[in-house]
Amino acid sequence: MAYVVTEACIDVQDRACMEECPVDCIYPGDRMMYIHPDECVDCGKCMPACPNDAIFWEYKTPPEQAPFIEANALFVRSHGLGGGGEDADPIDEDHPLVAQRRPR
Amino acid sequence: MTATIGETALEQTGTKVVRAACPQDCPDTCAMLVTVDGEGKATDVAGDPDHPYTNGGLCVKVNNYLDRVYDQTRVLFPMRRTGPKGSGRFERITWEDAVSEIAAKFKAIAAEHGPEAIMPVSYLGTQGILNGLNVGDPFFAKLGATVAERTYCDSGSCTAYAMTIGDTAGVDPESLVHSKFILVWACNIMSTNLHLWPYIAKARRNGAKVVVVDPIRSRTAAAADQHIALRPGTDGALALAMAHVIIAEGLTDQDYIDNYTVGFPEFAERVEQYTPEWAETETGVPAETIRTLAREYATAQPSVIRIGVAVERHAGGGQTVRALSCLPGLVGAWRKPGGGILQLPLWAFPVNWGAFMHPEMLTPGTRVVNQYLLGAALAGDLPEGPPLKALMVYNSNPVVTTPDQARLIEGLQREDLFTVVSEQFMTDTAEYADIVLPATTQLEQDDIMFSWGHLYVTYNHRSIDPIGEAVPNTELFRRLAAAMGWDDPVFQRSDAEMIAEAFDWSHPNMAGITVESLQEKGWQRLNVPAPDAYAPHAEGNFPTPSGKAEFVSAAAAGGNFVVPLFRQGSNDHQPGQPVDPLPHYIPPRESAAANPELAARYPLNLLTPKSHAFLNSSFGSHEFHRRVADEHSLIVHPDDAAARGIAQGDPVRVFNDRGEFTVVANLQDTVPVGVVVSPMGGWRKNSKAGATLAAVNPTVFGDLGNAPTFSDTLVEVEIA
């Protein structure tokens, strides 16, 4: 259960969401931000903060963006992320769903 | 283009943004902005980004509030039962027919059995000053109905806290950024007090240590620097052992103690027995961990304790809060902003309770019945007086929130009981009503809000017209009073007149705050010092008889009591049993130590905390909330599951001598061996076997304030 960063964040990474998140559960990848589903408290504060409308609630994610639900979760878990995005070490990788996109 | 405005602009055309306030029973009372389109339909509900405390955020419960407002299953018209009680079969009737039928019934029952045969059942389904806690009190006082005692939330804690440091607001939550040591006790902030967390996170960045005391690894415990997992119901032992260490190791602030507290020598003598080694045997927390906790708490000043409602929910919950309320005085934590204890800042608000409760309208000596005992009361187990013949339920869903569920339902099915339920949704309780009345949501009503989690008054403008024939609770009771033929001025007041009476506007805390300024701005901070200067007890000034923090409580001499606010203002028939004026340890009732025979049959402690996505039982009918809430589940440690042959996802029966319910097993090591957790709030009609956790929870009270003892519950679990 969580909010989810989707396609519109790729190569933008505005990071306004990170500043809004009360529990610091948003982590930067190389080209996109990722929300940790185990740390997210579903408060939704990140969603209106995003200038690119890239963030959705898991249950209200448009179908074409649905693969990003798993991408967010897999990315943070596979990199062992946790304990706060602000101080997290930079990661120069992305989930394949993101990495495979052509740069904007 | 949109503009943020108040209710008058509703009459203009075009999109508007209206200032509102979250109505849910939560400490955060978020400032909301409701966007309304030119057709008068709300299109967005969001947090107000300008509000310093709630800061533009809402939460998982209220983000999708429009799904609630416009839900197709809303109760929109008065209805009369047409099938057997509980069948859910109703027919639409007019408001006029509904209120005249209710008035006729109430009059007939009062004439035949006496008015105490009628009882209101309500709490904080909405917590605005107008439509919340006290909205029906004058009506039922005039009627002479049984007084409803509503000890759902912090009643035992309030009695204990008041006995020790008086009705003080305590620490300003915004001051927590200055705290150097933050002790979160029995409070899952991430799920129940979310907007406090950024202040804690900021303090942490400034070097504060955050420690969470909780039997389970909650979301909050997982995010803390340290999690101290103690056995359920043994919090008092840990708190008293902390006092023991602080005194034994000379970590006290002697100057603060000498000048601003009373009873230190007696308290020091009392806690001599509560050694860390003794506490280890009670709590399961290693003695050395307790010593370190006490030392860090005492020496990292200012230190603060944030207590949650759950801390009262066992046999000794009251004395636990007494002990915790003593700790800041012991170490002089009150000296600086961000030091002390944070319980209910509600007491900073000069709410004009009397104008809403009207306790002077009560008939002296009127019977008082605690709503937690409703099942027993309907079965005839009552203090002297007539049997209950009518209930009026509003702001409440007792089938889910009240223990003794099976007996309560049996009572609600009585053919000789007349039940009225005012609701937004067809709840488990509404299904047993004879008459159902449609209630508005917060968007459809005006209100003005206190907070029990921050220091801002918030105004709620009605942003849309009522849907269907729904009415605010204020209008409900105006209509009922008129149908009774009562013309007292109290029943004639408009909502605007009530708002004008909501506060003692002449109180210093309200300086600069008026109805008009609130209507324009939406919210205003009480006129108290800024968070970086707010240290109300730096030099004592406690609202106690002595003006000091009372280790030996003078108020204890009057015996146990429930704060009258939780019982329609009545001070009659208080529990009254003697109270030891010094904090002491009362072990849980349902434990291997206290009751080995019971523990042999029911070896697991059941905890039923607030769920992440429900607010008590509110939102229990919404699909997404139900998924997030993980409703009707039981978190079981894998070892306990293995011992019972339970696998992930198995349906399991949870039972004790009081009853049983069936849920789905969720194997997690966030709970210790011996403890199982089922989040509360899921509706009975969505349950697996027609019962929820209210079927096994106890009806006995804790030591103070008639608090429930839901965390003092033993059960066994088996595959269903």
Side-chain angles (χ1 to χ4, degrees):
Chain A
M1 69 188 94
Y3 278 73
V4 182
V5 183
T6 65
E7 192 170 16
C9 180
I10 297 174
D11 295 329
V12 179
Q13 290 190 296
D14 178 88
R15 298 193 182 214
C17 55
M18 280 182 86
E19 285 168 33
E20 286 298 322
C21 178
V23 298
D24 197 15
C25 73
I26 307 178
Y27 296 80
D30 188 39
R31 295 173 58 196
M32 194 184 91
M33 311 298 289
Y34 298 85
I35 294 178
H36 199 314
D38 303 330
E39 295 182 338
C40 174
V41 294
D42 300 84
C43 78
K45 201 153 177 267
C46 53
M47 195 170 79
C50 177
N52 277 36
D53 295 330
I55 302 179
F56 299 94
W57 195 28
E58 178 181 343
Y59 301 107
K60 295 187 174 180
T61 302
E64 70 276 12
Q65 299 293 327
F68 282 89
I69 297 172
E70 198 183 340
N72 276 249
L74 281 177
F75 180 81
V76 294
R77 286 180 186 145
S78 65
H79 286 87
L81 296 172
E86 294 266 355
D87 298 328
D89 292 331
I91 291 173
D92 56 2
E93 286 181 357
D94 280 293
H95 185 272
L97 193 64
V98 177
Q100 287 159 12
R101 304 283 160 128
R102 284 221 309 261
R104 283 178 204 254
Chain B
M1 282 293 288
T2 61
T4 303
I5 38 74
E7 64 181 355
T8 51
L10 277 178
E11 290 158 29
Q12 302 168 13
T13 54
T15 298
K16 305 289 187 294
V17 178
V18 182
R19 294 191 179 279
C22 178
Q24 303 301 141
D25 182 9
C26 163
D28 291 9
T29 308
C30 291
M32 305 196 303
L33 298 177
V34 182
T35 306
V36 182
D37 69 15
E39 310 293 307
K41 187 175 166 74
T43 56
D44 188 45
V45 173
D48 180 351
D50 295 332
H51 192 282
Y53 185 76
T54 61
N55 190 25
L58 296 174
C59 70
V60 62
K61 294 146 195 153
V62 183
N63 276 332
N64 299 285
Y65 197 70
L66 291 181
D67 292 353
R68 182 172 181 85
V69 174
Y70 294 114
D71 190 293
Q72 292 303 305
T73 64
R74 277 272 306 269
V75 172
L76 296 178
F77 304 99
M79 294 187 290
R80 181 194 288 121
R81 180 171 63 89
T82 56
K85 293 203 175 197
S87 67
R89 293 212 293 275
F90 294 93
E91 63 179 0
R92 182 176 167 181
I93 56 175
T94 65
W95 261 105
E96 194 179 5
D97 285 350
V99 293
S100 42
E101 190 168 324
I102 295 166
K105 271 282 192 185
F106 282 180
K107 285 178 185 170
I109 289 168
E112 186 180 349
H113 303 279
E116 285 177 321
I118 304 165
M119 178 173 161
V121 179
S122 76
Y123 194 54
L124 283 178
T126 181
Q127 69 171 356
I129 295 174
L130 268 65
N131 291 292
L133 183 62
N134 308 112
V135 63
D137 291 359
F139 180 89
F140 291 103
K142 167 105 180 171
L143 187 58
T146 289
V147 169
E149 187 173 81
R150 308 148 176 157
T151 55
Y152 289 101
C153 176
D154 258 350
S155 173
S157 178
C158 285
T159 299
Y161 181 90
M163 278 183 176
T164 315
I165 52 177
D167 291 341
T168 168
V171 178
D172 179 350
E174 291 180 83
S175 301
L176 260 61
V177 294
H178 302 295
S179 306
K180 292 285 181 273
F181 189 88
I182 299 175
L183 186 50
V184 178
W185 203 301
C187 185
N188 182 11
I189 291 170
M190 296 295 196
S191 294
T192 63
N193 187 193
L194 178 62
H195 300 82
L196 180 62
W197 187 258
Y199 294 86
I200 294 175
K202 190 169 178 193
R204 219 169 150 192
R205 288 187 165 270
N206 294 339
K209 182 172 180 180
V210 179
V211 180
V212 171
V213 174
D214 197 313
I216 61 179
R217 196 166 75 243
S218 65
R219 289 165 180 267
T220 311
D225 295 303
Q226 185 184 358
H227 171 210
I228 295 178
L230 76 182
R231 277 191 203 108
T234 64
D235 306 66
L238 182 58
L240 289 160
M242 284 177 69
H244 173 100
V245 173
I246 289 164
I247 295 170
E249 299 192 1
L251 304 174
T252 51
D253 180 336
Q254 201 57 47
D255 180 69
Y256 195 90
I257 289 170
D258 291 345
N259 288 297
Y260 308 124
T261 74
V262 293
F264 176 71
E266 295 91 334
F267 185 53
E269 191 186 340
R270 169 60 61 86
V271 301
E272 261 178 41
Q273 63 191 297
Y274 300 125
T275 64
E277 283 69 24
W278 165 81
E280 178 176 335
T281 63
E282 279 298 312
T283 62
V285 179
E288 217 33 54
T289 303
I290 298 172
R291 284 202 173 83
T292 304
L293 171 68
R295 288 171 192 149
E296 291 180 348
Y297 167 77
T299 56
Q301 291 302 322
S303 60
V304 68
I305 305 172
R306 178 18 162 184
I307 55 172
V309 176
V311 74
E312 71 176 10
R313 298 196 158 173
H314 52 87
Q319 288 295 345
T320 298
V321 174
R322 284 225 58 222
L324 288 167
S325 304
C326 287
L327 292 177
L330 216 48
V331 299
W334 293 111
R335 287 185 186 277
K336 294 179 189 164
I341 187 165
L342 173 55
Q343 188 233 18
L344 291 180
L346 164 66
W347 307 122
F349 293 80
V351 179
N352 188 10
W353 301 112
F356 295 87
M357 284 193 291
H358 281 282
E360 79 287 352
M361 292 171 69
L362 289 168
T363 305
T366 300
R367 177 169 74 183
V368 177
V369 171
N370 189 288
Q371 288 184 187
Y372 277 136
L373 306 181
L374 191 58
L378 288 174
D381 182 5
L382 277 160
E384 61 187 48
L388 288 176
K389 294 288 183 181
L391 299 179
M392 174 141 182
V393 184
Y394 51 100
N395 282 346
S396 187
N397 182 8
V399 167
V400 174
T401 58
T402 305
D404 210 3
Q405 188 176 56
R407 196 149 62 141
L408 173 57
I409 289 163
E410 210 177 297
L412 290 172
Q413 288 175 314
R414 271 175 36 198
E415 279 305 322
D416 65 332
L417 181 74
F418 177 67
T419 304
V420 180
V421 177
S422 169
E423 253 302 346
Q424 298 168 355
F425 288 88
M426 189 53 70
T427 62
D428 288 329
T429 305
E431 286 195 333
Y432 289 95
D434 294 280
I435 302 275
V436 178
L437 300 171
T440 44
T441 67
Q442 186 78 335
L443 266 51
E444 304 152 68
Q445 62 197 16
D446 289 295
D447 217 322
I448 189 165
M449 323 286 294
F450 56 74
S451 164
W452 49 279
H454 58 65
L455 298 177
Y456 296 80
V457 184
T458 317
Y459 195 94
N460 182 73
H461 286 284
R462 180 172 65 83
S463 49
I464 61 171
D465 288 336
I467 299 177
E469 294 181 359
V471 302
N473 292 332
T474 50
E475 175 64 14
L476 162 66
F477 283 103
R478 279 191 290 266
R479 291 183 183 188
L480 282 178
M484 294 294 287
W486 298 340
D487 57 4
D488 313 50
V490 68
F491 300 120
Q492 312 288 324
R493 294 180 299 174
S494 66
D495 285 2
E497 286 167 326
M498 288 186 185
I499 285 169
E501 289 189 280
F503 289 99
D504 172 5
W505 303 95
S506 66
H507 190 284
N509 286 5
M510 299 300 286
I513 305 175
T514 64
V515 172
E516 293 71 25
S517 67
L518 281 168
Q519 284 177 338
E520 185 195 331
K521 297 174 180 177
W523 44 265
Q524 283 181 274
R525 183 176 164 92
L526 291 174
N527 178 44
V528 293
D532 61 0
Y534 188 70
H537 307 303
E539 297 178 345
N541 294 315
F542 292 94
T544 55
S546 63
K548 299 181 176 185
E550 299 193 351
F551 299 131
V552 176
S553 169
N560 184 21
F561 65 91
V562 173
V563 174
L565 178 60
F566 295 126
R567 50 202 323 268
Q568 298 180 223
S570 169
N571 218 4
D572 291 333
H573 311 294
Q574 286 280 14
Q577 63 267 36
V579 176
D580 186 331
L582 275 170
H584 60 109
Y585 182 59
I586 300 171
R589 282 192 194 97
E590 300 199 2
S591 66
N595 194 340
E597 183 274 328
L598 187 75
R601 289 189 292 135
Y602 304 117
L604 301 170
N605 278 105
L606 172 67
L607 297 177
T608 53
K610 306 299 181 188
S611 111
H612 187 65
F614 298 152
L615 203 309
N616 296 321
S617 80
S618 291
F619 305 103
S621 61
H622 301 335
E623 181 197 347
F624 296 143
H625 290 76
R626 289 174 59 194
R627 284 201 235 165
V628 176
D630 209 7
E631 66 168 1
H632 304 304
S633 68
L634 187 79
I635 305 173
V636 190
H637 190 279
D639 292 355
D640 283 329
R644 291 163 178 79
I646 296 167
Q648 176 71 22
D650 279 348
V652 291
R653 198 169 77 90
V654 184
F655 60 99
N656 58 21
D657 287 342
R658 290 181 288 266
E660 64 176 76
F661 64 106
T662 301
V663 285
V664 173
N666 181 4
L667 276 50
Q668 283 186 27
D669 66 0
T670 56
V671 299
V673 171
V675 176
V676 291
V677 171
S678 188
M680 71 89 67
W683 286 13
R684 177 172 171 262
K685 65 172 78 171
N686 299 328
S687 68
K688 287 201 162 305
T692 74
L693 51 90
V696 305
N697 269 341
T699 52
V700 288
F701 298 134
D703 57 323
L704 291 178
N706 288 354
T709 53
F710 300 151
S711 300
D712 199 343
T713 301
L714 287 175
V715 296
E716 180 54 293
V717 178
E718 64 181 24
I719 290 188

